[in-house]
Amino acid sequence: MKPLRCPLPLALVVVGVVLSGCQVFQRSEAPVQRIEIPPSAEEMAALATAPPRLTATGTVVDSRVQQLGAELGALKSSVNGTAQDFRTTRAAIADLAGRYQTLVGNITARLQVGTTPGNPELISAWSEAQGLLGQLEQNVGRLSALSTRAAANASTASFLQSSIRSAYRLSGGVDQDHRNLDLLEDDTNRTIVAIERVLNEIADDVSRQSATVASERRTMGSLALSINSGRMYGAPLSTRVAAVPAAVPTRPVPAAAQRRALVTIRFDRPDVAYRQPLYDAVSAALDRNPGVQFEVQGVAPARGEPADQARAANDARRQAEGVVRSLVEMGLPSDRVSLSAATAREASVTEVRVFVR
């Protein structure tokens, strides 16, 4: 692999990785130290597999007490397994996230330095990062499955707690039987607390990781466009979008000729390089008003025979759809952009006009 040549060395720090502008692109092929998340001492005490030591009495109630002790032991074993699987999945997510962020950081650094359009090294790294993001999404699914298991354990624990309390009313027991039931009830209560803690942690992780994966999907779309052009567009547009879109005004929308377009793209030659100016203009509009919405209008020249006008209208709509796709890939939510078509006598070639609504 040949080193990248550049006139001046430039050091960039991205995601804790220092890259030189004259260095060869670094891939994340070095072995990554696995992250272990050990349980806390309180968790180990609460989730000890063995139930409390019970003193056998040989009474009628004792048989029920021993049965409840066995059920508690099985429950704690299940809870312990769920907690262990949760720690393993969380460690896997941390490992994947670290490798993914390293790749994205390296790609971003290379793009900021500047590189060739469609650089195959960056495309390969982007594909690897996309694969890691897919694995992250799979682990979020595993977390959801663990949440179901933890909820089932919570239901079993609640039923067991009720059964233990009912056992106090059984006749034919001695004082030791009630002391045994006290031990079982206390241990069941501690197990319920541990289950609730795991449930809450899983729910938090599912929510956080789902939002992260969705955000990184938009980042990958923006990076793909940047790699294609060989330069960095900027942060995904999603980082500038408000949570709630701005309300569309109820006043009549003026005709295209009376409105001032935010961007006008003239397709007067093949491969028009419009993405960077489009990104800059839309980004600036979102900085002024994060709740703004956009209309992408394909404009065909109103000239020639009807057949020529029909072909021009189809071409204008096709080009407008391509602009919409570019905006979505840049991170703009699809519900913030609408598509329309028009004809204009003053247009000499196919145009796409982007309006702020």
Side-chain angles (χ1 to χ4, degrees), residues 111-144:
L111 288 169
Q112 289 177 347
V113 172
T115 185
T116 56
N119 188 321
E121 293 177 351
L122 296 188
I123 292 175
S124 176
W126 184 92
S127 298
E128 185 179 346
Q130 186 81 340
L132 292 174
L133 194 57
Q135 294 180 49
L136 278 171
E137 195 166 18
Q138 292 175 3
N139 277 284
V140 174
R142 293 189 181 96
L143 286 178
S144 298

Side-chain angles (χ1 to χ4, degrees), residues 20-76:
S20 168
C22 298
Q23 284 183 331
V24 178
F25 178 75
Q26 298 294 323
R27 298 288 299 279
S28 61
E29 295 176 353
V32 179
Q33 183 179 2
R34 299 294 173 180
I35 299 175
E36 299 290 340
I37 303 179
S40 64
E42 294 80 2
E43 185 179 0
M44 290 296 293
L47 297 180
T49 302
R53 182 174 297 178
L54 304 176
T55 302
T57 62
T59 64
V60 175
V61 176
D62 181 56
S63 61
R64 178 57 175 161
V65 170
Q66 298 299 327
Q67 180 185 359
L68 292 172
E71 292 177 3
L72 177 58
L75 171 64
K76 296 183 73 173

Side-chain angles (χ1 to χ4, degrees), residues 234-257:
L237 294 176
S238 57
T239 61
R240 294 177 166 87
V241 175
V244 179
V248 179
T250 56
R251 61 180 183 273
V253 178

Side-chain angles (χ1 to χ4, degrees), residues 250-296:
T250 56
R251 61 180 183 273
V253 178
Q258 300 173 333
R259 288 190 289 171
R260 182 177 179 181
L262 178 69
V263 178
T264 298
I265 307 169
R266 301 180 76 251
F267 290 91
D268 53 358
R269 62 187 182 278
D271 300 325
V272 177
Y274 65 84
R275 288 180 175 83
Q276 185 64 55
L278 175 65
Y279 172 88
D280 292 340
V282 172
S283 177
L286 288 170
D287 286 341
R288 291 190 297 270
N289 181 4
V292 75
Q293 300 186 57
F294 299 91
E295 177 187 351
V296 176

Side-chain angles (χ1 to χ4, degrees), residues 96-332:
L96 289 168
R99 292 159 58 194
Y100 167 82
Q101 293 295 347
T102 298
L103 274 171
V104 171
N106 291 345
I107 294 171
T108 302
R110 183 66 174 273
L111 288 169
Q112 289 177 347
V113 172
T115 185
T116 56
N119 188 321
E121 293 177 351
L122 296 188
I123 292 175
S124 176
W126 184 92
S127 298
E128 185 179 346
Q130 186 81 340
L132 292 174
L133 194 57
Q135 294 180 49
L136 278 171
E137 195 166 18
Q138 292 175 3
N139 277 284
V140 174
R142 293 189 181 96
L143 286 178
S144 298
L146 287 174
S147 178
T148 302
R149 284 172 53 185
N153 288 333
S155 178
T156 301
S158 179
F159 179 77
L160 181 60
Q161 184 185 56
S162 177
S163 297
I164 292 172
R165 289 172 179 172
S166 298
Y168 282 102
R169 298 191 294 269
L170 294 176
S171 61
V174 295
D175 291 342
Q176 183 60 46
D177 291 324
H178 279 208
R179 285 192 286 272
N180 289 339
L181 288 173
D182 290 340
L183 293 173
L184 290 176
E185 185 174 17
D186 291 344
D187 204 16
T188 301
N189 290 336
R190 287 192 294 271
T191 303
I192 289 175
V193 171
I195 293 172
E196 290 176 349
R197 182 182 299 115
V198 171
L199 263 174
N200 291 334
E201 290 182 356
I202 293 176
D204 289 344
D205 275 24
V206 168
S207 176
R208 180 170 54 253
Q209 297 302 331
S210 296
T212 298
V213 169
S215 174
E216 292 304 320
R217 288 290 184 198
R218 294 189 289 269
T219 297
M220 292 300 289
S222 179
L223 276 181
L225 288 173
S226 300
I227 291 171
N228 187 54
S229 66
R231 56 178 292 183
M232 194 69 194
Y233 278 115
L237 294 176
S238 57
T239 61
R240 294 177 166 87
V241 175
V244 179
V248 179
T250 56
R251 61 180 183 273
V253 178
Q258 300 173 333
R259 288 190 289 171
R260 182 177 179 181
L262 178 69
V263 178
T264 298
I265 307 169
R266 301 180 76 251
F267 290 91
D268 53 358
R269 62 187 182 278
D271 300 325
V272 177
Y274 65 84
R275 288 180 175 83
Q276 185 64 55
L278 175 65
Y279 172 88
D280 292 340
V282 172
S283 177
L286 288 170
D287 286 341
R288 291 190 297 270
N289 181 4
V292 75
Q293 300 186 57
F294 299 91
E295 177 187 351
V296 176
Q297 185 179 78
V299 179
R303 298 178 180 181
E305 299 296 327
D308 296 332
Q309 294 184 22
R311 283 192 294 270
N314 288 334
D315 182 58
R317 183 169 186 85
R318 179 176 58 82
Q319 298 290 7
E321 290 172 348
V323 172
V324 170
R325 284 194 299 272
S326 295
L327 287 172
V328 173
E329 289 171 351
M330 291 174 187
L332 185 68

